[in-house]
Amino acid sequence: MTDEAKRLFFALDCPPAQRKAIAQWRADLGLRTGKPVPADNFHLTLLFLGAVPLAQINEVCEAAGQVRTPGEPLKIALDRLQVWHRAGVLSLAPEQAPPALLRLVYALEQAMLPFGFEEPSREFRPHLTLARDYRAPEPESATPPEFFLRAERFALFESHKGRYRILQDWSLI
């Protein structure tokens, strides 16, 4: 990564109170493997862009501002704990992704096509990452995950040295 580019992605932010509740639930799992994601970094990625030249960021933001949004807040159940063994990820995910979320992701993908970013190599799987480098079976939980991510905005995030920062956000309503 050079000083002429930023590592960017679109995501739904996780509200502070919910971050705290999810972090406490994760702590109760008693994980003995993996690297816990800092609660301040909890989010649900919509589209990863990768290295975006600084000169393109304003255009990316303009294109994102033209994306057709659901017209109402998104409510996503994070009700399934899962392990992605290949990627070494422990995450919370919805049992069923809301159609409005899938339409938003598709609209973002289409809006970003003119910029020539790499197309996603896999089907979109909404999730909130709890731990990376996780190399164990799915942990047992005394309490099943029953979180609801309610989003009124989507945002363009910068990833820099393990921290995420919102560069700009847009209303879903």
Side-chain angles (χ1 to χ4, degrees):
M1 184 76 58
T2 66
D3 289 340
E4 291 89 39
K6 291 182 184 246
R7 191 168 188 249
L8 304 180
F9 62 93
F10 289 102
L12 302 177
D13 198 14
C14 189
Q18 192 165 48
R19 288 181 192 154
K20 186 176 178 180
I22 292 171
Q24 180 59 58
W25 183 84
R26 176 184 62 188
D28 293 343
L29 293 174
L31 301 179
R32 293 194 171 102
T33 181
K35 296 177 186 167
V37 170
D40 286 346
N41 283 355
F42 286 165
H43 67 278
L44 192 143
T45 300
L46 301 171
L47 180 64
F48 181 75
L49 300 179
V52 176
L54 293 179
Q56 266 190 331
I57 293 175
N58 284 339
E59 293 172 60
V60 165
C61 289
E62 285 176 24
Q66 300 302 311
V67 166
R68 185 170 178 188
T69 59
E72 61 187 22
L74 287 173
K75 188 174 181 185
I76 301 135
L78 298 173
D79 54 0
R80 193 168 140 221
L81 182 62
Q82 59 185 13
V83 176
W84 295 353
H85 295 284
R86 254 181 136 176
V89 169
L90 177 67
S91 65
L92 286 173
E95 189 68 44
Q96 185 74 38
L101 173 64
L102 300 177
R103 286 191 297 272
L104 174 62
V105 169
Y106 179 76
L108 278 169
E109 289 171 348
Q110 296 305 300
M112 295 302 119
L113 283 177
F115 299 103
F117 301 123
E118 279 187 40
E119 290 190 40
S121 58
R122 296 184 191 95
E123 180 182 331
F124 172 68
R125 296 191 300 176
H127 67 282
L128 183 147
T129 302
L130 297 172
R132 298 189 188 287
D133 299 327
Y134 187 83
R135 304 288 178 210
E138 188 176 297
E140 292 290 324
S141 171
T143 312
E146 296 178 335
F147 300 101
F148 289 91
L149 178 62
R150 185 179 186 279
E152 294 184 3
R153 308 185 72 73
F154 74 98
L156 180 64
F157 283 78
E158 175 187 8
S159 172
H160 182 69
K161 296 183 179 181
R163 292 310 223 187
Y164 302 150
R165 178 174 74 98
I166 294 176
L167 298 182
Q168 188 166 341
D169 65 355
W170 298 268
S171 178
L172 294 170
I173 302 168

Short mmCIF file of all heavy atoms in Angstrom, two decimals, residues 10-77:
data_model
loop_
_atom_site.label_atom_id
_atom_site.label_comp_id
_atom_site.label_asym_id
_atom_site.label_seq_id
_atom_site.Cartn_x
_atom_site.Cartn_y
_atom_site.Cartn_z
N PHE A 10 -17.06 -0.82 1.83
CA PHE A 10 -18.38 -0.34 2.25
C PHE A 10 -18.90 -1.30 3.31
O PHE A 10 -18.72 -2.51 3.20
CB PHE A 10 -19.36 -0.32 1.07
CG PHE A 10 -19.08 0.76 0.07
CD1 PHE A 10 -18.46 0.47 -1.13
CD2 PHE A 10 -19.44 2.07 0.33
CE1 PHE A 10 -18.19 1.47 -2.06
CE2 PHE A 10 -19.18 3.09 -0.58
CZ PHE A 10 -18.55 2.78 -1.78
N ALA A 11 -19.57 -0.74 4.32
CA ALA A 11 -20.08 -1.59 5.40
C ALA A 11 -21.20 -0.89 6.15
O ALA A 11 -21.43 0.31 6.01
CB ALA A 11 -18.95 -1.93 6.38
N LEU A 12 -21.89 -1.70 6.96
CA LEU A 12 -22.84 -1.19 7.93
C LEU A 12 -22.12 -1.15 9.26
O LEU A 12 -21.53 -2.16 9.68
CB LEU A 12 -24.07 -2.12 8.03
CG LEU A 12 -24.84 -2.35 6.74
CD1 LEU A 12 -25.98 -3.34 6.99
CD2 LEU A 12 -25.37 -1.04 6.16
N ASP A 13 -22.15 -0.01 9.91
CA ASP A 13 -21.48 0.13 11.21
C ASP A 13 -22.33 -0.53 12.29
O ASP A 13 -23.54 -0.67 12.16
CB ASP A 13 -21.29 1.61 11.52
CG ASP A 13 -20.25 1.86 12.59
OD1 ASP A 13 -19.48 0.93 12.92
OD2 ASP A 13 -20.19 2.99 13.10
N CYS A 14 -21.67 -0.91 13.35
CA CYS A 14 -22.34 -1.53 14.49
C CYS A 14 -22.42 -0.47 15.60
O CYS A 14 -21.38 0.06 16.00
CB CYS A 14 -21.53 -2.74 14.94
SG CYS A 14 -22.34 -3.77 16.15
N PRO A 15 -23.62 -0.15 16.10
CA PRO A 15 -23.75 0.88 17.14
C PRO A 15 -22.98 0.50 18.42
O PRO A 15 -22.85 -0.69 18.74
CB PRO A 15 -25.25 0.93 17.41
CG PRO A 15 -25.89 0.31 16.23
CD PRO A 15 -24.91 -0.69 15.68
N PRO A 16 -22.46 1.50 19.15
CA PRO A 16 -21.64 1.24 20.34
C PRO A 16 -22.27 0.30 21.37
O PRO A 16 -21.58 -0.59 21.88
CB PRO A 16 -21.41 2.64 20.92
CG PRO A 16 -21.52 3.56 19.74
CD PRO A 16 -22.55 2.93 18.85
N ALA A 17 -23.53 0.47 21.68
CA ALA A 17 -24.16 -0.39 22.69
C ALA A 17 -24.19 -1.84 22.21
O ALA A 17 -24.00 -2.77 22.99
CB ALA A 17 -25.57 0.10 23.01
N GLN A 18 -24.42 -2.01 20.92
CA GLN A 18 -24.45 -3.36 20.38
C GLN A 18 -23.04 -3.97 20.32
O GLN A 18 -22.87 -5.15 20.57
CB GLN A 18 -25.08 -3.36 18.99
CG GLN A 18 -25.40 -4.77 18.52
CD GLN A 18 -26.33 -4.74 17.36
OE1 GLN A 18 -26.12 -3.99 16.42
NE2 GLN A 18 -27.36 -5.55 17.40
N ARG A 19 -22.06 -3.15 20.01
CA ARG A 19 -20.67 -3.63 20.04
C ARG A 19 -20.34 -4.20 21.42
O ARG A 19 -19.74 -5.27 21.53
CB ARG A 19 -19.70 -2.49 19.77
CG ARG A 19 -19.66 -2.01 18.38
CD ARG A 19 -18.64 -0.89 18.27
NE ARG A 19 -18.82 -0.24 16.98
CZ ARG A 19 -18.49 1.01 16.74
NH1 ARG A 19 -17.94 1.75 17.67
NH2 ARG A 19 -18.68 1.51 15.56
N LYS A 20 -20.74 -3.46 22.43
CA LYS A 20 -20.46 -3.87 23.81
C LYS A 20 -21.16 -5.20 24.14
O LYS A 20 -20.56 -6.10 24.72
CB LYS A 20 -20.92 -2.78 24.78
CG LYS A 20 -20.56 -3.03 26.21
CD LYS A 20 -20.97 -1.86 27.09
CE LYS A 20 -20.64 -2.15 28.54
NZ LYS A 20 -21.00 -1.06 29.41
N ALA A 21 -22.43 -5.32 23.73
CA ALA A 21 -23.19 -6.55 24.00
C ALA A 21 -22.59 -7.75 23.27
O ALA A 21 -22.47 -8.84 23.84
CB ALA A 21 -24.66 -6.36 23.60
N ILE A 22 -22.20 -7.56 22.02
CA ILE A 22 -21.60 -8.66 21.25
C ILE A 22 -20.24 -9.03 21.83
O ILE A 22 -19.92 -10.22 21.95
CB ILE A 22 -21.49 -8.28 19.75
CG1 ILE A 22 -22.90 -8.18 19.14
CG2 ILE A 22 -20.64 -9.30 19.00
CD1 ILE A 22 -22.93 -7.61 17.73
N ALA A 23 -19.45 -8.03 22.22
CA ALA A 23 -18.14 -8.31 22.82
C ALA A 23 -18.29 -9.10 24.12
O ALA A 23 -17.52 -10.03 24.38
CB ALA A 23 -17.37 -7.02 23.05
N GLN A 24 -19.31 -8.76 24.92
CA GLN A 24 -19.53 -9.49 26.17
C GLN A 24 -19.96 -10.92 25.87
O GLN A 24 -19.50 -11.86 26.51
CB GLN A 24 -20.60 -8.79 27.02
CG GLN A 24 -20.88 -9.48 28.34
CD GLN A 24 -19.63 -9.60 29.22
OE1 GLN A 24 -19.00 -8.62 29.55
NE2 GLN A 24 -19.26 -10.84 29.57
N TRP A 25 -20.84 -11.10 24.91
CA TRP A 25 -21.29 -12.45 24.53
C TRP A 25 -20.09 -13.27 24.05
O TRP A 25 -19.93 -14.43 24.41
CB TRP A 25 -22.36 -12.34 23.45
CG TRP A 25 -22.94 -13.64 23.03
CD1 TRP A 25 -23.94 -14.34 23.64
CD2 TRP A 25 -22.53 -14.42 21.90
NE1 TRP A 25 -24.18 -15.50 22.95
CE2 TRP A 25 -23.34 -15.58 21.89
CE3 TRP A 25 -21.58 -14.26 20.92
CZ2 TRP A 25 -23.20 -16.56 20.91
CZ3 TRP A 25 -21.44 -15.23 19.95
CH2 TRP A 25 -22.26 -16.37 19.96
N ARG A 26 -19.23 -12.64 23.22
CA ARG A 26 -18.02 -13.34 22.74
C ARG A 26 -17.12 -13.72 23.91
O ARG A 26 -16.58 -14.82 23.94
CB ARG A 26 -17.28 -12.46 21.74
CG ARG A 26 -15.96 -13.08 21.27
CD ARG A 26 -15.17 -12.18 20.37
NE ARG A 26 -14.79 -10.95 21.06
CZ ARG A 26 -14.23 -9.92 20.46
NH1 ARG A 26 -14.00 -9.93 19.16
NH2 ARG A 26 -13.92 -8.84 21.14
N ALA A 27 -16.95 -12.83 24.88
CA ALA A 27 -16.11 -13.11 26.05
C ALA A 27 -16.64 -14.32 26.82
O ALA A 27 -15.87 -15.14 27.32
CB ALA A 27 -16.03 -11.89 26.96
N ASP A 28 -17.97 -14.44 26.88
CA ASP A 28 -18.59 -15.56 27.58
C ASP A 28 -18.35 -16.90 26.88
O ASP A 28 -18.54 -17.95 27.49
CB ASP A 28 -20.09 -15.33 27.76
CG ASP A 28 -20.40 -14.18 28.71
OD1 ASP A 28 -19.49 -13.77 29.47
OD2 ASP A 28 -21.54 -13.69 28.69
N LEU A 29 -17.93 -16.85 25.61
CA LEU A 29 -17.61 -18.09 24.89
C LEU A 29 -16.32 -18.72 25.41
O LEU A 29 -16.08 -19.91 25.20
CB LEU A 29 -17.47 -17.83 23.38
CG LEU A 29 -18.73 -17.44 22.63
CD1 LEU A 29 -18.38 -17.07 21.18
CD2 LEU A 29 -19.77 -18.54 22.67
N GLY A 30 -15.46 -17.90 26.05
CA GLY A 30 -14.20 -18.42 26.57
C GLY A 30 -13.27 -18.93 25.49
O GLY A 30 -12.65 -19.98 25.64
N LEU A 31 -13.13 -18.19 24.42
CA LEU A 31 -12.30 -18.61 23.29
C LEU A 31 -10.85 -18.80 23.72
O LEU A 31 -10.30 -17.97 24.44
CB LEU A 31 -12.37 -17.59 22.16
CG LEU A 31 -13.75 -17.31 21.59
CD1 LEU A 31 -13.66 -16.25 20.49
CD2 LEU A 31 -14.40 -18.57 21.07
N ARG A 32 -10.25 -19.88 23.24
CA ARG A 32 -8.85 -20.16 23.57
C ARG A 32 -7.97 -20.12 22.32
O ARG A 32 -6.79 -20.47 22.38
CB ARG A 32 -8.74 -21.53 24.23
CG ARG A 32 -9.38 -21.56 25.59
CD ARG A 32 -8.96 -22.80 26.35
NE ARG A 32 -9.40 -22.70 27.71
CZ ARG A 32 -10.46 -23.33 28.20
NH1 ARG A 32 -11.20 -24.08 27.41
NH2 ARG A 32 -10.80 -23.18 29.46
N THR A 33 -8.53 -19.77 21.21
CA THR A 33 -7.79 -19.69 19.96
C THR A 33 -8.27 -18.47 19.18
O THR A 33 -9.36 -17.95 19.43
CB THR A 33 -7.97 -20.98 19.12
OG1 THR A 33 -7.19 -20.87 17.93
CG2 THR A 33 -9.40 -21.22 18.75
N GLY A 34 -7.47 -18.03 18.25
CA GLY A 34 -7.84 -16.90 17.40
C GLY A 34 -7.48 -15.56 18.01
O GLY A 34 -7.11 -15.47 19.18
N LYS A 35 -7.59 -14.55 17.18
CA LYS A 35 -7.34 -13.17 17.60
C LYS A 35 -8.66 -12.43 17.60
O LYS A 35 -9.24 -12.20 16.52
CB LYS A 35 -6.37 -12.50 16.64
CG LYS A 35 -4.99 -13.12 16.62
CD LYS A 35 -4.11 -12.44 15.59
CE LYS A 35 -2.79 -13.16 15.48
NZ LYS A 35 -2.05 -12.74 14.30
N PRO A 36 -9.17 -12.04 18.77
CA PRO A 36 -10.44 -11.33 18.81
C PRO A 36 -10.36 -10.00 18.05
O PRO A 36 -9.39 -9.26 18.18
CB PRO A 36 -10.67 -11.08 20.30
CG PRO A 36 -9.75 -12.00 21.02
CD PRO A 36 -8.60 -12.25 20.09
N VAL A 37 -11.38 -9.73 17.27
CA VAL A 37 -11.48 -8.45 16.59
C VAL A 37 -11.86 -7.41 17.64
O VAL A 37 -12.78 -7.65 18.44
CB VAL A 37 -12.57 -8.52 15.48
CG1 VAL A 37 -12.87 -7.14 14.91
CG2 VAL A 37 -12.14 -9.48 14.39
N PRO A 38 -11.17 -6.25 17.67
CA PRO A 38 -11.56 -5.22 18.63
C PRO A 38 -13.03 -4.83 18.42
O PRO A 38 -13.48 -4.67 17.28
CB PRO A 38 -10.64 -4.05 18.32
CG PRO A 38 -9.48 -4.65 17.58
CD PRO A 38 -10.03 -5.84 16.85
N ALA A 39 -13.76 -4.66 19.51
CA ALA A 39 -15.19 -4.32 19.41
C ALA A 39 -15.41 -3.04 18.59
O ALA A 39 -16.41 -2.92 17.88
CB ALA A 39 -15.80 -4.18 20.80
N ASP A 40 -14.47 -2.10 18.66
CA ASP A 40 -14.61 -0.86 17.88
C ASP A 40 -14.60 -1.12 16.38
O ASP A 40 -15.02 -0.27 15.60
CB ASP A 40 -13.48 0.12 18.21
CG ASP A 40 -13.66 0.77 19.57
OD1 ASP A 40 -14.76 0.69 20.14
OD2 ASP A 40 -12.68 1.37 20.06
N ASN A 41 -14.12 -2.29 15.96
CA ASN A 41 -14.06 -2.64 14.53
C ASN A 41 -15.25 -3.48 14.07
O ASN A 41 -15.30 -3.87 12.91
CB ASN A 41 -12.77 -3.39 14.22
CG ASN A 41 -11.56 -2.48 14.14
OD1 ASN A 41 -11.67 -1.27 14.24
ND2 ASN A 41 -10.39 -3.06 13.98
N PHE A 42 -16.20 -3.78 14.94
CA PHE A 42 -17.35 -4.59 14.52
C PHE A 42 -18.13 -3.85 13.44
O PHE A 42 -18.49 -2.68 13.60
CB PHE A 42 -18.28 -4.89 15.70
CG PHE A 42 -17.77 -5.91 16.68
CD1 PHE A 42 -18.38 -6.03 17.91
CD2 PHE A 42 -16.72 -6.77 16.39
CE1 PHE A 42 -17.95 -6.97 18.84
CE2 PHE A 42 -16.28 -7.71 17.29
CZ PHE A 42 -16.90 -7.81 18.53
N HIS A 43 -18.41 -4.56 12.36
CA HIS A 43 -19.17 -4.02 11.24
C HIS A 43 -19.65 -5.19 10.38
O HIS A 43 -19.21 -6.33 10.57
CB HIS A 43 -18.31 -3.08 10.39
CG HIS A 43 -17.21 -3.81 9.68
ND1 HIS A 43 -16.02 -4.14 10.31
CD2 HIS A 43 -17.13 -4.34 8.43
CE1 HIS A 43 -15.25 -4.81 9.46
NE2 HIS A 43 -15.91 -4.95 8.30
N LEU A 44 -20.51 -4.91 9.43
CA LEU A 44 -20.95 -5.91 8.46
C LEU A 44 -20.54 -5.39 7.08
O LEU A 44 -21.09 -4.40 6.60
CB LEU A 44 -22.47 -6.10 8.54
CG LEU A 44 -23.00 -7.32 7.79
CD1 LEU A 44 -24.14 -7.95 8.57
CD2 LEU A 44 -23.44 -6.96 6.40
N THR A 45 -19.53 -6.04 6.49
CA THR A 45 -19.01 -5.59 5.19
C THR A 45 -20.05 -5.81 4.10
O THR A 45 -20.67 -6.86 4.01
CB THR A 45 -17.72 -6.36 4.82
OG1 THR A 45 -16.74 -6.11 5.83
CG2 THR A 45 -17.17 -5.91 3.48
N LEU A 46 -20.20 -4.80 3.26
CA LEU A 46 -21.08 -4.88 2.10
C LEU A 46 -20.26 -5.17 0.84
O LEU A 46 -20.64 -6.01 0.04
CB LEU A 46 -21.85 -3.57 1.92
CG LEU A 46 -22.72 -3.14 3.09
CD1 LEU A 46 -23.25 -1.73 2.86
CD2 LEU A 46 -23.86 -4.13 3.30
N LEU A 47 -19.14 -4.47 0.69
CA LEU A 47 -18.31 -4.63 -0.50
C LEU A 47 -16.90 -4.16 -0.20
O LEU A 47 -16.69 -3.02 0.21
CB LEU A 47 -18.89 -3.81 -1.67
CG LEU A 47 -18.15 -3.88 -2.99
CD1 LEU A 47 -18.18 -5.29 -3.57
CD2 LEU A 47 -18.74 -2.88 -3.99
N PHE A 48 -15.93 -5.04 -0.40
CA PHE A 48 -14.52 -4.71 -0.21
C PHE A 48 -13.97 -4.16 -1.52
O PHE A 48 -14.13 -4.79 -2.57
CB PHE A 48 -13.74 -5.95 0.24
CG PHE A 48 -12.30 -5.68 0.48
CD1 PHE A 48 -11.89 -5.01 1.63
CD2 PHE A 48 -11.34 -6.08 -0.43
CE1 PHE A 48 -10.54 -4.75 1.86
CE2 PHE A 48 -9.99 -5.83 -0.21
CZ PHE A 48 -9.60 -5.16 0.94
N LEU A 49 -13.34 -2.99 -1.46
CA LEU A 49 -12.79 -2.37 -2.67
C LEU A 49 -11.29 -2.62 -2.81
O LEU A 49 -10.77 -2.66 -3.91
CB LEU A 49 -13.05 -0.87 -2.67
CG LEU A 49 -14.51 -0.43 -2.64
CD1 LEU A 49 -14.60 1.08 -2.61
CD2 LEU A 49 -15.29 -1.01 -3.80
N GLY A 50 -10.58 -2.72 -1.70
CA GLY A 50 -9.13 -2.87 -1.75
C GLY A 50 -8.46 -1.51 -1.83
O GLY A 50 -8.97 -0.51 -1.34
N ALA A 51 -7.29 -1.47 -2.48
CA ALA A 51 -6.51 -0.23 -2.60
C ALA A 51 -7.17 0.69 -3.63
O ALA A 51 -7.26 0.36 -4.80
CB ALA A 51 -5.08 -0.55 -3.01
N VAL A 52 -7.62 1.83 -3.15
CA VAL A 52 -8.28 2.81 -4.01
C VAL A 52 -7.37 4.04 -4.10
O VAL A 52 -7.00 4.62 -3.07
CB VAL A 52 -9.66 3.22 -3.45
CG1 VAL A 52 -10.29 4.31 -4.31
CG2 VAL A 52 -10.56 2.01 -3.34
N PRO A 53 -6.97 4.43 -5.32
CA PRO A 53 -6.14 5.63 -5.47
C PRO A 53 -6.84 6.85 -4.86
O PRO A 53 -8.05 7.02 -5.01
CB PRO A 53 -5.99 5.78 -6.99
CG PRO A 53 -6.27 4.41 -7.54
CD PRO A 53 -7.26 3.80 -6.61
N LEU A 54 -6.06 7.69 -4.19
CA LEU A 54 -6.63 8.89 -3.56
C LEU A 54 -7.42 9.72 -4.56
O LEU A 54 -8.47 10.27 -4.22
CB LEU A 54 -5.51 9.74 -2.93
CG LEU A 54 -4.77 9.14 -1.74
CD1 LEU A 54 -3.68 10.08 -1.26
CD2 LEU A 54 -5.73 8.81 -0.62
N ALA A 55 -6.93 9.79 -5.79
CA ALA A 55 -7.58 10.60 -6.82
C ALA A 55 -8.97 10.07 -7.17
O ALA A 55 -9.79 10.80 -7.73
CB ALA A 55 -6.72 10.65 -8.07
N GLN A 56 -9.28 8.80 -6.84
CA GLN A 56 -10.58 8.20 -7.19
C GLN A 56 -11.60 8.25 -6.05
O GLN A 56 -12.78 7.99 -6.29
CB GLN A 56 -10.40 6.72 -7.56
CG GLN A 56 -10.24 6.47 -9.02
CD GLN A 56 -10.31 4.98 -9.32
OE1 GLN A 56 -9.96 4.14 -8.50
NE2 GLN A 56 -10.75 4.66 -10.52
N ILE A 57 -11.17 8.56 -4.85
CA ILE A 57 -12.07 8.44 -3.69
C ILE A 57 -13.30 9.34 -3.83
O ILE A 57 -14.42 8.89 -3.54
CB ILE A 57 -11.30 8.69 -2.37
CG1 ILE A 57 -10.30 7.56 -2.16
CG2 ILE A 57 -12.28 8.79 -1.19
CD1 ILE A 57 -9.38 7.73 -0.96
N ASN A 58 -13.14 10.57 -4.30
CA ASN A 58 -14.31 11.45 -4.46
C ASN A 58 -15.30 10.88 -5.46
O ASN A 58 -16.51 10.93 -5.25
CB ASN A 58 -13.89 12.86 -4.86
CG ASN A 58 -13.33 13.64 -3.69
OD1 ASN A 58 -13.60 13.32 -2.53
ND2 ASN A 58 -12.56 14.67 -3.98
N GLU A 59 -14.79 10.32 -6.56
CA GLU A 59 -15.66 9.72 -7.57
C GLU A 59 -16.38 8.49 -7.01
O GLU A 59 -17.56 8.28 -7.30
CB GLU A 59 -14.86 9.32 -8.81
CG GLU A 59 -14.29 10.49 -9.57
CD GLU A 59 -13.36 10.00 -10.67
OE1 GLU A 59 -13.84 9.26 -11.56
OE2 GLU A 59 -12.17 10.34 -10.63
N VAL A 60 -15.67 7.69 -6.22
CA VAL A 60 -16.28 6.52 -5.58
C VAL A 60 -17.42 6.98 -4.68
O VAL A 60 -18.51 6.40 -4.68
CB VAL A 60 -15.22 5.71 -4.79
CG1 VAL A 60 -15.86 4.73 -3.82
CG2 VAL A 60 -14.29 4.99 -5.75
N CYS A 61 -17.18 8.05 -3.92
CA CYS A 61 -18.21 8.58 -3.01
C CYS A 61 -19.41 9.11 -3.80
O CYS A 61 -20.56 8.89 -3.40
CB CYS A 61 -17.63 9.66 -2.11
SG CYS A 61 -16.51 9.01 -0.85
N GLU A 62 -19.15 9.79 -4.90
CA GLU A 62 -20.25 10.29 -5.74
C GLU A 62 -21.08 9.13 -6.27
O GLU A 62 -22.32 9.18 -6.26
CB GLU A 62 -19.70 11.13 -6.89
CG GLU A 62 -19.22 12.50 -6.46
CD GLU A 62 -18.59 13.27 -7.62
OE1 GLU A 62 -18.91 12.99 -8.79
OE2 GLU A 62 -17.76 14.16 -7.32
N ALA A 63 -20.43 8.08 -6.73
CA ALA A 63 -21.15 6.91 -7.25
C ALA A 63 -21.95 6.24 -6.15
O ALA A 63 -23.10 5.83 -6.36
CB ALA A 63 -20.16 5.93 -7.89
N ALA A 64 -21.37 6.12 -4.97
CA ALA A 64 -22.09 5.51 -3.84
C ALA A 64 -23.31 6.33 -3.46
O ALA A 64 -24.34 5.77 -3.08
CB ALA A 64 -21.16 5.36 -2.64
N GLY A 65 -23.20 7.63 -3.58
CA GLY A 65 -24.33 8.51 -3.27
C GLY A 65 -25.50 8.36 -4.22
O GLY A 65 -26.62 8.76 -3.92
N GLN A 66 -25.25 7.76 -5.39
CA GLN A 66 -26.30 7.55 -6.39
C GLN A 66 -26.96 6.18 -6.26
O GLN A 66 -27.94 5.88 -6.97
CB GLN A 66 -25.72 7.70 -7.80
CG GLN A 66 -25.12 9.05 -8.07
CD GLN A 66 -26.11 10.18 -7.87
OE1 GLN A 66 -27.22 10.14 -8.38
NE2 GLN A 66 -25.71 11.18 -7.11
N VAL A 67 -26.45 5.34 -5.36
CA VAL A 67 -26.97 3.98 -5.21
C VAL A 67 -28.39 4.03 -4.66
O VAL A 67 -28.69 4.77 -3.73
CB VAL A 67 -26.05 3.16 -4.27
CG1 VAL A 67 -26.72 1.88 -3.81
CG2 VAL A 67 -24.74 2.86 -4.95
N ARG A 68 -29.24 3.22 -5.26
CA ARG A 68 -30.62 3.12 -4.77
C ARG A 68 -30.62 2.36 -3.45
O ARG A 68 -30.09 1.26 -3.34
CB ARG A 68 -31.49 2.39 -5.78
CG ARG A 68 -32.92 2.39 -5.36
CD ARG A 68 -33.81 1.89 -6.45
NE ARG A 68 -35.17 1.89 -5.94
CZ ARG A 68 -36.17 1.37 -6.57
NH1 ARG A 68 -36.00 0.82 -7.74
NH2 ARG A 68 -37.37 1.40 -6.04
N THR A 69 -31.21 2.98 -2.43
CA THR A 69 -31.22 2.39 -1.09
C THR A 69 -32.61 1.88 -0.76
O THR A 69 -33.58 2.20 -1.45
CB THR A 69 -30.78 3.44 -0.05
OG1 THR A 69 -31.66 4.55 -0.11
CG2 THR A 69 -29.34 3.90 -0.30
N PRO A 70 -32.74 1.07 0.30
CA PRO A 70 -34.03 0.46 0.63
C PRO A 70 -35.15 1.44 0.96
O PRO A 70 -36.32 1.10 0.85
CB PRO A 70 -33.72 -0.41 1.86
CG PRO A 70 -32.25 -0.57 1.88
CD PRO A 70 -31.67 0.59 1.17
N GLY A 71 -34.81 2.66 1.41
CA GLY A 71 -35.85 3.61 1.78
C GLY A 71 -36.32 3.42 3.22
O GLY A 71 -37.24 4.09 3.67
N GLU A 72 -35.71 2.49 3.92
CA GLU A 72 -36.02 2.23 5.33
C GLU A 72 -34.78 1.61 5.98
O GLU A 72 -33.90 1.13 5.28
CB GLU A 72 -37.21 1.29 5.46
CG GLU A 72 -36.98 -0.07 4.84
CD GLU A 72 -38.24 -0.94 4.83
OE1 GLU A 72 -39.34 -0.40 4.91
OE2 GLU A 72 -38.07 -2.16 4.74
N PRO A 73 -34.72 1.63 7.31
CA PRO A 73 -33.57 1.01 7.96
C PRO A 73 -33.50 -0.48 7.65
O PRO A 73 -34.52 -1.13 7.42
CB PRO A 73 -33.84 1.22 9.46
CG PRO A 73 -34.81 2.34 9.53
CD PRO A 73 -35.63 2.25 8.27
N LEU A 74 -32.29 -1.00 7.62
CA LEU A 74 -32.09 -2.44 7.47
C LEU A 74 -32.03 -3.06 8.86
O LEU A 74 -31.39 -2.50 9.75
CB LEU A 74 -30.78 -2.74 6.74
CG LEU A 74 -30.75 -2.46 5.25
CD1 LEU A 74 -29.34 -2.65 4.71
CD2 LEU A 74 -31.72 -3.36 4.52
N LYS A 75 -32.68 -4.19 9.03
CA LYS A 75 -32.61 -4.92 10.29
C LYS A 75 -32.13 -6.32 9.95
O LYS A 75 -32.82 -7.07 9.26
CB LYS A 75 -33.97 -4.95 10.98
CG LYS A 75 -33.90 -5.52 12.38
CD LYS A 75 -35.24 -5.41 13.09
CE LYS A 75 -35.14 -5.95 14.49
NZ LYS A 75 -36.43 -5.96 15.18
N ILE A 76 -30.92 -6.63 10.43
CA ILE A 76 -30.30 -7.91 10.09
C ILE A 76 -30.10 -8.72 11.36
O ILE A 76 -29.43 -8.28 12.29
CB ILE A 76 -28.94 -7.68 9.39
CG1 ILE A 76 -29.16 -6.86 8.12
CG2 ILE A 76 -28.26 -9.00 9.07
CD1 ILE A 76 -28.19 -5.77 7.93
N ALA A 77 -30.71 -9.89 11.39
CA ALA A 77 -30.54 -10.79 12.53
C ALA A 77 -29.15 -11.40 12.46
O ALA A 77 -28.75 -11.94 11.44
CB ALA A 77 -31.60 -11.88 12.50
#
